[in-house]
PDB file of all heavy atoms in Angstrom:
ATOM      1  N   SER A   1      24.509 -36.967  16.086  1.00 91.00           N
ATOM      2  CA  SER A   1      25.908 -37.201  15.639  1.00 91.00           C
ATOM      3  C   SER A   1      26.406 -38.611  15.980  1.00 91.00           C
ATOM      4  O   SER A   1      27.238 -39.121  15.288  1.00 91.00           O
ATOM      5  CB  SER A   1      26.806 -36.137  16.232  1.00 91.00           C
ATOM      6  OG  SER A   1      26.789 -36.170  17.653  1.00 91.00           O
ATOM      7  N   GLY A   2      25.894 -39.212  17.057  1.00 90.00           N
ATOM      8  CA  GLY A   2      26.399 -40.525  17.453  1.00 90.00           C
ATOM      9  C   GLY A   2      25.446 -41.625  17.097  1.00 90.00           C
ATOM     10  O   GLY A   2      25.645 -42.780  17.510  1.00 90.00           O
ATOM     11  N   ALA A   3      24.448 -41.358  16.295  1.00 93.00           N
ATOM     12  CA  ALA A   3      23.426 -42.383  15.959  1.00 93.00           C
ATOM     13  C   ALA A   3      24.061 -43.477  15.038  1.00 93.00           C
ATOM     14  O   ALA A   3      24.922 -43.190  14.234  1.00 93.00           O
ATOM     15  CB  ALA A   3      22.284 -41.740  15.267  1.00 93.00           C
ATOM     16  N   LEU A   4      23.551 -44.683  15.169  1.00 93.00           N
ATOM     17  CA  LEU A   4      23.942 -45.760  14.279  1.00 93.00           C
ATOM     18  C   LEU A   4      23.207 -45.655  12.958  1.00 93.00           C
ATOM     19  O   LEU A   4      22.080 -45.168  12.916  1.00 93.00           O
ATOM     20  CB  LEU A   4      23.650 -47.127  14.915  1.00 93.00           C
ATOM     21  CG  LEU A   4      24.412 -47.495  16.216  1.00 93.00           C
ATOM     22  CD1 LEU A   4      23.803 -48.761  16.861  1.00 93.00           C
ATOM     23  CD2 LEU A   4      25.911 -47.692  15.911  1.00 93.00           C
ATOM     24  N   SER A   5      23.834 -46.118  11.905  1.00 93.00           N
ATOM     25  CA  SER A   5      23.181 -46.140  10.612  1.00 93.00           C
ATOM     26  C   SER A   5      22.340 -47.414  10.458  1.00 93.00           C
ATOM     27  O   SER A   5      22.578 -48.369  11.186  1.00 93.00           O
ATOM     28  CB  SER A   5      24.250 -46.076   9.478  1.00 93.00           C
ATOM     29  OG  SER A   5      25.006 -47.261   9.455  1.00 93.00           O
ATOM     30  N   ASP A   6      21.419 -47.427   9.512  1.00 93.00           N
ATOM     31  CA  ASP A   6      20.624 -48.644   9.261  1.00 93.00           C
ATOM     32  C   ASP A   6      21.528 -49.794   8.854  1.00 93.00           C
ATOM     33  O   ASP A   6      21.285 -50.925   9.250  1.00 93.00           O
ATOM     34  CB  ASP A   6      19.597 -48.358   8.179  1.00 93.00           C
ATOM     35  CG  ASP A   6      18.424 -47.514   8.651  1.00 93.00           C
ATOM     36  OD1 ASP A   6      18.399 -47.234   9.858  1.00 93.00           O
ATOM     37  OD2 ASP A   6      17.608 -47.097   7.813  1.00 93.00           O
ATOM     38  N   ARG A   7      22.592 -49.500   8.117  1.00 94.00           N
ATOM     39  CA  ARG A   7      23.498 -50.582   7.675  1.00 94.00           C
ATOM     40  C   ARG A   7      24.207 -51.219   8.913  1.00 94.00           C
ATOM     41  O   ARG A   7      24.272 -52.465   9.001  1.00 94.00           O
ATOM     42  CB  ARG A   7      24.555 -49.973   6.719  1.00 94.00           C
ATOM     43  CG  ARG A   7      25.583 -51.055   6.262  1.00 94.00           C
ATOM     44  CD  ARG A   7      26.655 -50.432   5.372  1.00 94.00           C
ATOM     45  NE  ARG A   7      27.377 -49.336   6.153  1.00 94.00           N
ATOM     46  CZ  ARG A   7      28.346 -49.615   7.014  1.00 94.00           C
ATOM     47  NH1 ARG A   7      28.682 -50.863   7.297  1.00 94.00           N
ATOM     48  NH2 ARG A   7      28.962 -48.621   7.619  1.00 94.00           N
ATOM     49  N   GLN A   8      24.672 -50.400   9.821  1.00 94.00           N
ATOM     50  CA  GLN A   8      25.339 -50.915  11.049  1.00 94.00           C
ATOM     51  C   GLN A   8      24.355 -51.784  11.847  1.00 94.00           C
ATOM     52  O   GLN A   8      24.769 -52.835  12.351  1.00 94.00           O
ATOM     53  CB  GLN A   8      25.836 -49.753  11.906  1.00 94.00           C
ATOM     54  CG  GLN A   8      26.998 -48.997  11.304  1.00 94.00           C
ATOM     55  CD  GLN A   8      27.414 -47.801  12.168  1.00 94.00           C
ATOM     56  OE1 GLN A   8      26.535 -46.923  12.435  1.00 94.00           O
ATOM     57  NE2 GLN A   8      28.620 -47.725  12.584  1.00 94.00           N
ATOM     58  N   ILE A   9      23.103 -51.347  11.971  1.00 93.00           N
ATOM     59  CA  ILE A   9      22.138 -52.101  12.745  1.00 93.00           C
ATOM     60  C   ILE A   9      21.774 -53.410  12.004  1.00 93.00           C
ATOM     61  O   ILE A   9      21.706 -54.468  12.649  1.00 93.00           O
ATOM     62  CB  ILE A   9      20.884 -51.240  12.984  1.00 93.00           C
ATOM     63  CG1 ILE A   9      21.243 -49.993  13.801  1.00 93.00           C
ATOM     64  CG2 ILE A   9      19.814 -52.067  13.761  1.00 93.00           C
ATOM     65  CD1 ILE A   9      20.078 -49.036  13.907  1.00 93.00           C
ATOM     66  N   THR A  10      21.591 -53.366  10.717  1.00 93.00           N
ATOM     67  CA  THR A  10      21.255 -54.556   9.950  1.00 93.00           C
ATOM     68  C   THR A  10      22.357 -55.593  10.039  1.00 93.00           C
ATOM     69  O   THR A  10      22.065 -56.786  10.229  1.00 93.00           O
ATOM     70  CB  THR A  10      21.006 -54.170   8.481  1.00 93.00           C
ATOM     71  OG1 THR A  10      19.938 -53.217   8.403  1.00 93.00           O
ATOM     72  CG2 THR A  10      20.650 -55.380   7.666  1.00 93.00           C
ATOM     73  N   GLU A  11      23.608 -55.171   9.939  1.00 93.00           N
ATOM     74  CA  GLU A  11      24.715 -56.103  10.020  1.00 93.00           C
ATOM     75  C   GLU A  11      24.795 -56.716  11.428  1.00 93.00           C
ATOM     76  O   GLU A  11      25.052 -57.925  11.546  1.00 93.00           O
ATOM     77  CB  GLU A  11      26.039 -55.373   9.680  1.00 93.00           C
ATOM     78  CG  GLU A  11      26.153 -54.946   8.232  1.00 93.00           C
ATOM     79  CD  GLU A  11      27.411 -54.168   7.951  1.00 93.00           C
ATOM     80  OE1 GLU A  11      28.154 -53.825   8.927  1.00 93.00           O
ATOM     81  OE2 GLU A  11      27.689 -53.884   6.769  1.00 93.00           O
ATOM     82  N   ALA A  12      24.505 -55.914  12.442  1.00 92.00           N
ATOM     83  CA  ALA A  12      24.560 -56.477  13.798  1.00 92.00           C
ATOM     84  C   ALA A  12      23.414 -57.493  14.033  1.00 92.00           C
ATOM     85  O   ALA A  12      23.631 -58.522  14.672  1.00 92.00           O
ATOM     86  CB  ALA A  12      24.469 -55.341  14.820  1.00 92.00           C
ATOM     87  N   ILE A  13      22.265 -57.213  13.485  1.00 91.00           N
ATOM     88  CA  ILE A  13      21.155 -58.151  13.598  1.00 91.00           C
ATOM     89  C   ILE A  13      21.481 -59.434  12.899  1.00 91.00           C
ATOM     90  O   ILE A  13      21.143 -60.555  13.318  1.00 91.00           O
ATOM     91  CB  ILE A  13      19.848 -57.536  13.030  1.00 91.00           C
ATOM     92  CG1 ILE A  13      19.376 -56.422  13.974  1.00 91.00           C
ATOM     93  CG2 ILE A  13      18.754 -58.595  12.891  1.00 91.00           C
ATOM     94  CD1 ILE A  13      18.129 -55.669  13.442  1.00 91.00           C
ATOM     95  N   GLY A  14      22.175 -59.306  11.724  1.00 90.00           N
ATOM     96  CA  GLY A  14      22.601 -60.508  10.972  1.00 90.00           C
ATOM     97  C   GLY A  14      23.587 -61.366  11.723  1.00 90.00           C
ATOM     98  O   GLY A  14      23.596 -62.600  11.573  1.00 90.00           O
ATOM     99  N   ARG A  15      24.376 -60.770  12.587  1.00 90.00           N
ATOM    100  CA  ARG A  15      25.364 -61.508  13.439  1.00 90.00           C
ATOM    101  C   ARG A  15      24.690 -62.086  14.675  1.00 90.00           C
ATOM    102  O   ARG A  15      25.290 -62.949  15.375  1.00 90.00           O
ATOM    103  CB  ARG A  15      26.518 -60.599  13.842  1.00 90.00           C
ATOM    104  CG  ARG A  15      27.418 -60.160  12.722  1.00 90.00           C
ATOM    105  CD  ARG A  15      28.653 -59.438  13.235  1.00 90.00           C
ATOM    106  NE  ARG A  15      28.309 -58.187  13.875  1.00 90.00           N
ATOM    107  CZ  ARG A  15      28.371 -57.021  13.305  1.00 90.00           C
ATOM    108  NH1 ARG A  15      28.698 -56.948  11.991  1.00 90.00           N
ATOM    109  NH2 ARG A  15      28.128 -55.895  13.939  1.00 90.00           N
ATOM    110  N   SER A  16      23.489 -61.641  15.010  1.00 86.00           N
ATOM    111  CA  SER A  16      22.842 -62.055  16.248  1.00 86.00           C
ATOM    112  C   SER A  16      22.178 -63.411  16.118  1.00 86.00           C
ATOM    113  O   SER A  16      21.552 -63.756  15.076  1.00 86.00           O
ATOM    114  CB  SER A  16      21.780 -61.007  16.643  1.00 86.00           C
ATOM    115  OG  SER A  16      20.993 -61.476  17.738  1.00 86.00           O
ATOM    116  N   PRO A  17      22.216 -64.247  17.163  1.00 84.00           N
ATOM    117  CA  PRO A  17      21.519 -65.530  17.113  1.00 84.00           C
ATOM    118  C   PRO A  17      20.011 -65.428  17.426  1.00 84.00           C
ATOM    119  O   PRO A  17      19.277 -66.377  17.348  1.00 84.00           O
ATOM    120  CB  PRO A  17      22.212 -66.333  18.246  1.00 84.00           C
ATOM    121  CG  PRO A  17      22.643 -65.289  19.224  1.00 84.00           C
ATOM    122  CD  PRO A  17      23.004 -64.074  18.391  1.00 84.00           C
ATOM    123  N   LEU A  18      19.556 -64.213  17.765  1.00 79.00           N
ATOM    124  CA  LEU A  18      18.134 -64.020  18.105  1.00 79.00           C
ATOM    125  C   LEU A  18      17.283 -64.199  16.899  1.00 79.00           C
ATOM    126  O   LEU A  18      17.652 -63.836  15.731  1.00 79.00           O
ATOM    127  CB  LEU A  18      17.947 -62.667  18.732  1.00 79.00           C
ATOM    128  CG  LEU A  18      18.659 -62.376  20.016  1.00 79.00           C
ATOM    129  CD1 LEU A  18      18.421 -60.914  20.453  1.00 79.00           C
ATOM    130  CD2 LEU A  18      18.192 -63.320  21.113  1.00 79.00           C
ATOM    131  N   ASP A  19      16.058 -64.759  17.083  1.00 76.00           N
ATOM    132  CA  ASP A  19      15.109 -64.956  16.036  1.00 76.00           C
ATOM    133  C   ASP A  19      14.048 -63.877  16.103  1.00 76.00           C
ATOM    134  O   ASP A  19      13.300 -63.759  17.105  1.00 76.00           O
ATOM    135  CB  ASP A  19      14.462 -66.353  16.165  1.00 76.00           C
ATOM    136  CG  ASP A  19      13.463 -66.644  15.046  1.00 76.00           C
ATOM    137  OD1 ASP A  19      13.428 -65.865  14.065  1.00 76.00           O
ATOM    138  OD2 ASP A  19      12.749 -67.665  15.170  1.00 76.00           O
ATOM    139  N   PHE A  20      13.911 -63.102  15.050  1.00 76.00           N
ATOM    140  CA  PHE A  20      12.942 -62.028  15.013  1.00 76.00           C
ATOM    141  C   PHE A  20      11.774 -62.309  14.046  1.00 76.00           C
ATOM    142  O   PHE A  20      11.178 -61.413  13.521  1.00 76.00           O
ATOM    143  CB  PHE A  20      13.591 -60.691  14.624  1.00 76.00           C
ATOM    144  CG  PHE A  20      14.637 -60.246  15.608  1.00 76.00           C
ATOM    145  CD1 PHE A  20      15.976 -60.327  15.303  1.00 76.00           C
ATOM    146  CD2 PHE A  20      14.287 -59.758  16.855  1.00 76.00           C
ATOM    147  CE1 PHE A  20      16.973 -59.898  16.210  1.00 76.00           C
ATOM    148  CE2 PHE A  20      15.250 -59.318  17.768  1.00 76.00           C
ATOM    149  CZ  PHE A  20      16.570 -59.408  17.452  1.00 76.00           C
ATOM    150  N   ALA A  21      11.539 -63.595  13.778  1.00 77.00           N
ATOM    151  CA  ALA A  21      10.558 -63.965  12.728  1.00 77.00           C
ATOM    152  C   ALA A  21       9.119 -63.829  13.249  1.00 77.00           C
ATOM    153  O   ALA A  21       8.212 -63.590  12.466  1.00 77.00           O
ATOM    154  CB  ALA A  21      10.814 -65.385  12.266  1.00 77.00           C
ATOM    155  N   SER A  22       8.884 -63.985  14.537  1.00 77.00           N
ATOM    156  CA  SER A  22       7.517 -63.915  15.070  1.00 77.00           C
ATOM    157  C   SER A  22       7.012 -62.469  15.032  1.00 77.00           C
ATOM    158  O   SER A  22       7.760 -61.565  14.788  1.00 77.00           O
ATOM    159  CB  SER A  22       7.449 -64.454  16.504  1.00 77.00           C
ATOM    160  OG  SER A  22       8.190 -63.595  17.383  1.00 77.00           O
ATOM    161  N   GLU A  23       5.710 -62.359  15.299  1.00 77.00           N
ATOM    162  CA  GLU A  23       5.126 -60.991  15.354  1.00 77.00           C
ATOM    163  C   GLU A  23       5.805 -60.170  16.424  1.00 77.00           C
ATOM    164  O   GLU A  23       6.115 -59.006  16.207  1.00 77.00           O
ATOM    165  CB  GLU A  23       3.620 -61.084  15.596  1.00 77.00           C
ATOM    166  CG  GLU A  23       2.803 -61.471  14.361  1.00 77.00           C
ATOM    167  CD  GLU A  23       2.998 -60.477  13.216  1.00 77.00           C
ATOM    168  OE1 GLU A  23       2.921 -59.239  13.476  1.00 77.00           O
ATOM    169  OE2 GLU A  23       3.214 -60.928  12.106  1.00 77.00           O
ATOM    170  N   HIS A  24       5.994 -60.772  17.561  1.00 73.00           N
ATOM    171  CA  HIS A  24       6.709 -60.045  18.684  1.00 73.00           C
ATOM    172  C   HIS A  24       8.119 -59.738  18.258  1.00 73.00           C
ATOM    173  O   HIS A  24       8.639 -58.666  18.504  1.00 73.00           O
ATOM    174  CB  HIS A  24       6.689 -60.889  19.955  1.00 73.00           C
ATOM    175  CG  HIS A  24       7.322 -60.182  21.098  1.00 73.00           C
ATOM    176  ND1 HIS A  24       6.710 -59.178  21.815  1.00 73.00           N
ATOM    177  CD2 HIS A  24       8.572 -60.343  21.689  1.00 73.00           C
ATOM    178  CE1 HIS A  24       7.504 -58.749  22.752  1.00 73.00           C
ATOM    179  NE2 HIS A  24       8.634 -59.434  22.724  1.00 73.00           N
ATOM    180  N   GLY A  25       8.758 -60.689  17.559  1.00 78.00           N
ATOM    181  CA  GLY A  25      10.161 -60.444  17.117  1.00 78.00           C
ATOM    182  C   GLY A  25      10.243 -59.282  16.134  1.00 78.00           C
ATOM    183  O   GLY A  25      11.190 -58.522  16.157  1.00 78.00           O
ATOM    184  N   LYS A  26       9.254 -59.144  15.248  1.00 83.00           N
ATOM    185  CA  LYS A  26       9.230 -58.032  14.326  1.00 83.00           C
ATOM    186  C   LYS A  26       9.098 -56.716  15.068  1.00 83.00           C
ATOM    187  O   LYS A  26       9.724 -55.713  14.672  1.00 83.00           O
ATOM    188  CB  LYS A  26       8.096 -58.190  13.316  1.00 83.00           C
ATOM    189  CG  LYS A  26       8.270 -59.373  12.380  1.00 83.00           C
ATOM    190  CD  LYS A  26       7.044 -59.584  11.517  1.00 83.00           C
ATOM    191  CE  LYS A  26       7.216 -60.812  10.592  1.00 83.00           C
ATOM    192  NZ  LYS A  26       5.991 -61.063   9.811  1.00 83.00           N
ATOM    193  N   THR A  27       8.312 -56.712  16.140  1.00 83.00           N
ATOM    194  CA  THR A  27       8.205 -55.503  16.967  1.00 83.00           C
ATOM    195  C   THR A  27       9.474 -55.178  17.629  1.00 83.00           C
ATOM    196  O   THR A  27       9.888 -54.018  17.696  1.00 83.00           O
ATOM    197  CB  THR A  27       7.079 -55.705  18.013  1.00 83.00           C
ATOM    198  OG1 THR A  27       5.828 -56.062  17.364  1.00 83.00           O
ATOM    199  CG2 THR A  27       6.816 -54.410  18.774  1.00 83.00           C
ATOM    200  N   GLN A  28      10.163 -56.201  18.136  1.00 84.00           N
ATOM    201  CA  GLN A  28      11.484 -56.024  18.745  1.00 84.00           C
ATOM    202  C   GLN A  28      12.462 -55.433  17.761  1.00 84.00           C
ATOM    203  O   GLN A  28      13.280 -54.552  18.067  1.00 84.00           O
ATOM    204  CB  GLN A  28      12.004 -57.310  19.346  1.00 84.00           C
ATOM    205  CG  GLN A  28      11.301 -57.794  20.610  1.00 84.00           C
ATOM    206  CD  GLN A  28      11.915 -59.037  21.127  1.00 84.00           C
ATOM    207  OE1 GLN A  28      12.095 -60.032  20.366  1.00 84.00           O
ATOM    208  NE2 GLN A  28      12.266 -59.098  22.397  1.00 84.00           N
TER     209      GLN A  28
END
């Protein structure tokens, strides 16, 4: 009932300065 939706997570990742382009970043 309290889970985040994929849309909420995607938007938060878009606001984040973190880089997830590397192989390790994709795993993260």
Side-chain angles (χ1 to χ4, degrees):
S1 60
L4 295 170
S5 68
D6 285 354
R7 178 185 59 80
Q8 289 174 305
I9 300 172
T10 301
E11 291 176 353
I13 290 175
R15 293 189 292 266
S16 171
L18 297 176
D19 181 10
F20 298 106
S22 67
E23 282 302 314
H24 182 76
K26 293 175 183 176
T27 305
Q28 286 182 311

